[in-house]
Amino acid sequence: MAVFRKLSLHAGPAFLACCLFALLLYGCNGRSRQVRTSETFLALDTVIEITVYGSDEGSNREILEGAKELCQWYEELFSITIETSDISRFNAAAGPVQVDPHTAEVVELGLHYSEASRGVFDITIAPVSSLWNFGESGAIPPAEEIAAGLKLVGYRKVIAKDLILDKQDGAQLDLGGIAKGYIADKLGYYLRENGVENALINLGGNILALGRKPDNTPWTIGLEKPFAENGDWICRIALSEGSIVTSGISQRYFLQDGMIYHHLLDTATGYPVQNGLYSVSILSKTSVEAEALSTTCFLLGLDAGMELVNRTPGVEAVFVDSSYRIYQSENLETAYEIQWEKASLSD
Amino acid sequence: MKSNGKRLPFQIKTIDLVVLCVVFALCVGLYIFRSWGVQEPGRHVEIFENGSLVYAAPVDEDQTVTLEGNTVVIFQSRVHMSRADCPDQVCVNMGTISRANQLITCLPNRVVVKLTGESGRDGVDTVIR
């Protein structure tokens, strides 16, 4: 075989070169060989998805199991429906209540954002929010009950000091607008502590990204079109390291007399705000900031909300109104890579 | 000038180049094939009730899955909740899902319907509304 005889003279170096090349390719691909493990479960009155990349399935599962337990632990502290939670105990008590350091921390953060928004966002909305039931069977509560509930609302009525929560005038807490963001951030710390560098947490609309995907591409977040029946999205956002949270009316609402009654309540009137917005999505470093700001900006409305975003460093936003018009913050597209889904937008 | 020490210790012949090119092409081909395989696996429908997996099958298998309080319809690679006995009907109103990492949830009945799979080039890793 003449070919092989000719080849054998120089096959050595050629073979070596090929091997090196193959190794190089394998090396490039090798990083994405990390095992992806995903877990979906229900807790905190919402659906939670956590995806982690790690060296093997077994340790990924173990870490995810710990994350699940952490969610349940926080739920037992913050829930407004679990009677033994710190928050329920505070709401039922007439005076001071000692709480877990984490409860104290989240309440302090909540009071901070309530103060910063001058009460537009208010974690003491509980006496009013508990009157509303936003399902298809929902109904408008009697006006006098709303008026009576409103008298108890006011973040200045709650004082947090040294793990003691105190109150005036029967104030009650509802951490609905901040707890998920706080917990998402804590889950992020927990995953990092356990050596996870690439993870994606979705706490029912509170998203926190840790790093990027192992192939060094960012996570892609689909921002769904509100009320769309076929899962169309408005845009896809490339997210590496950071949070995005959406506050919108399309998840918890009921219809009555052609009006959408949703869970984002005006702290001045006790009724859902009607300002022509469908959703506000906030991008920020921490999920607690993103969540507090998404609620605040929704309640402020388009002009004041966008103004707040534009003067807050490191925060960007996408607002969607009821005609599916999109409004974006000044530096959104310099800070993030966004693919707009033109087909889903109406002009 | 004579380049004494700079001559290669062997001469490259056409046949070497051919072998190199073939192996090179094979490597690239294999790499693309592997990347392809990672990005585009078949999508599966997974249904969880109370945290336990009660149904898992490729999305292109048409099926109507009847649970205690819900009915999930998988038809032409699209999935929707056709019935829920809960008062809020959020899951029924959620409509149809067809892409990887989309979810339908019925919180009152603790049912989660999930389309699994890698996001791929035009997909997403997670969805928010």
Side-chain angles (χ1 to χ4, degrees):
Chain A
M1 298 289 273
V3 171
F4 285 115
R5 241 185 293 120
K6 274 184 202 163
L7 191 65
S8 63
L9 286 175
H10 312 301
F15 187 70
L16 206 70
C18 289
C19 283
L20 275 173
F21 184 69
L23 206 68
L24 196 77
L25 278 181
Y26 185 79
C28 292
N29 211 7
R31 271 183 69 86
S32 63
R33 294 289 104 184
Q34 280 210 302
V35 183
R36 174 187 191 269
T37 310
S38 194
E39 175 83 41
T40 307
F41 56 96
L42 300 175
L44 310 165
D45 205 21
T46 191
V47 57
I48 299 176
E49 291 172 80
I50 307 177
T51 301
V52 298
Y53 282 90
S55 53
D56 66 281
E57 175 86 19
S59 59
N60 285 355
R61 286 262 164 241
E62 215 171 288
I63 288 167
L64 286 172
E65 202 48 49
K68 209 168 168 175
E69 281 167 20
L70 203 56
C71 289
Q72 283 153 358
W73 186 75
Y74 280 118
E75 182 165 21
E76 280 163 26
L77 288 180
F78 302 163
S79 169
I80 202 164
T81 52
I82 298 174
E83 276 180 32
T84 52
S85 77
D86 277 357
I87 298 303
S88 293
R89 286 193 302 115
F90 173 81
N91 287 348
V97 168
Q98 180 157 12
V99 294
D100 185 273
H102 293 86
T103 310
E105 190 182 13
V106 72
V107 169
E108 277 165 26
L109 279 163
L111 292 174
H112 164 78
Y113 286 109
S114 302
E115 168 86 49
S117 71
R118 295 196 188 94
V120 170
F121 169 82
D122 197 321
I123 59 167
T124 62
I125 191 74
V128 174
S129 61
S130 60
L131 300 173
W132 291 88
N133 162 31
F134 300 101
E136 204 150 86
S137 60
I140 304 169
E144 57 272 21
E145 286 185 26
I146 292 180
L150 263 185
K151 292 208 177 87
L152 308 178
V153 176
Y155 64 92
R156 287 198 180 88
K157 296 183 169 90
V158 173
I159 304 107
K161 196 165 181 276
D162 302 332
L163 310 186
I164 305 281
L165 298 184
D166 202 358
K167 66 165 81 176
Q168 297 166 352
D169 321 328
Q172 294 179 22
L173 292 167
D174 178 348
L175 300 180
I178 195 158
K180 282 192 287 169
Y182 175 85
I183 297 167
D185 289 334
K186 292 291 178 188
L187 284 172
Y189 290 127
Y190 160 80
L191 294 177
R192 280 257 155 77
E193 275 172 10
N194 284 278
V196 176
E197 286 170 18
N198 317 93
L200 189 64
I201 299 165
N202 187 347
L203 280 189
N206 276 55
I207 288 169
L208 182 74
L210 257 61
R212 301 176 145 221
K213 291 196 263 186
D215 62 4
N216 209 29
T217 58
W219 306 93
T220 309
I221 316 299
L223 183 57
E224 233 169 65
K225 188 175 171 177
F227 300 109
E229 292 226 324
N230 45 10
D232 281 342
W233 37 69
I234 280 173
C235 64
R236 281 176 295 169
I237 301 171
L239 187 67
S240 26
E241 199 60 46
S243 179
I244 171 164
V245 177
T246 297
S247 283
I249 68 174
S250 65
Q251 290 305 294
R252 290 169 62 210
Y253 71 96
F254 63 85
L255 291 169
Q256 193 168 319
D257 306 324
M259 291 269 276
I260 299 172
Y261 289 87
H262 55 83
H263 73 286
L264 292 157
L265 299 173
D266 186 332
T267 51
T269 66
Y271 288 85
V273 286
Q274 306 288 352
N275 58 14
L277 286 178
Y278 269 177
S279 76
V280 173
S281 302
I282 299 284
L283 294 122
S284 163
K285 281 282 156 257
T286 67
S287 201
V288 70
E289 179 178 46
E291 181 167 23
L293 280 180
S294 69
T295 312
T296 304
C297 289
F298 191 101
L299 297 175
L300 285 172
L302 177 60
D303 294 334
M306 194 60 91
E307 200 261 325
L308 172 63
V309 170
N310 285 333
R311 70 180 148 86
T312 311
V315 170
E316 300 299 334
V318 178
F319 287 51
V320 180
D321 76 7
S322 55
S323 316
Y324 294 111
R325 275 188 296 254
I326 314 294
Y327 306 86
Q328 46 176 294
S329 56
E330 279 166 9
N331 298 317
L332 177 75
E333 288 190 279
T334 41
Y336 296 92
E337 192 189 317
I338 311 235
Q339 264 180 294
W340 301 98
E341 210 75 10
K342 295 293 177 212
S344 78
L345 311 178
S346 73
D347 293 280
Chain B
M1 210 172 110
K2 209 177 168 189
S3 57
N4 249 342
K6 285 183 184 171
R7 259 182 61 193
L8 285 170
F10 57 88
Q11 273 184 298
I12 294 178
K13 290 184 178 176
T14 320
I15 185 76
D16 294 313
L17 287 175
V18 170
V19 169
L20 265 174
C21 287
V22 168
V23 177
F24 181 84
L26 270 174
C27 284
V28 171
L30 197 70
Y31 176 75
I32 290 171
F33 177 77
R34 276 178 45 157
S35 314
W36 211 266
V38 168
Q39 274 172 15
E40 308 287 340
R43 277 196 295 283
H44 279 68
V45 183
E46 290 182 355
I47 303 176
F48 298 87
E49 200 176 17
N50 254 324
S52 46
L53 187 69
V54 293
Y55 176 89
V59 71
D60 51 15
E61 273 176 29
D62 290 352
Q63 187 73 255
T64 300
V65 184
T66 310
L67 308 169
E68 208 181 310
N70 301 70
T71 305
V72 183
V73 176
I74 304 155
F75 182 64
Q76 291 182 344
S77 297
R78 299 165 70 81
V79 185
H80 74 276
M81 193 81 88
S82 66
R83 176 187 69 96
D85 63 5
C86 61
D88 67 22
Q89 300 292 307
V90 167
C91 56
V92 174
N93 294 333
M94 225 177 248
T96 307
I97 59 170
S98 59
R99 295 182 257 206
N101 299 314
Q102 285 185 307
L103 287 177
I104 300 175
T105 316
C106 180
L107 278 177
N109 292 340
R110 303 187 68 78
V111 169
V112 176
V113 181
K114 190 180 183 185
L115 271 174
T116 62
E118 293 273 335
S119 56
R121 222 154 19 101
D122 299 315
V124 295
D125 294 303
T126 196
V127 172
I128 44 169
R129 355 181 149 215

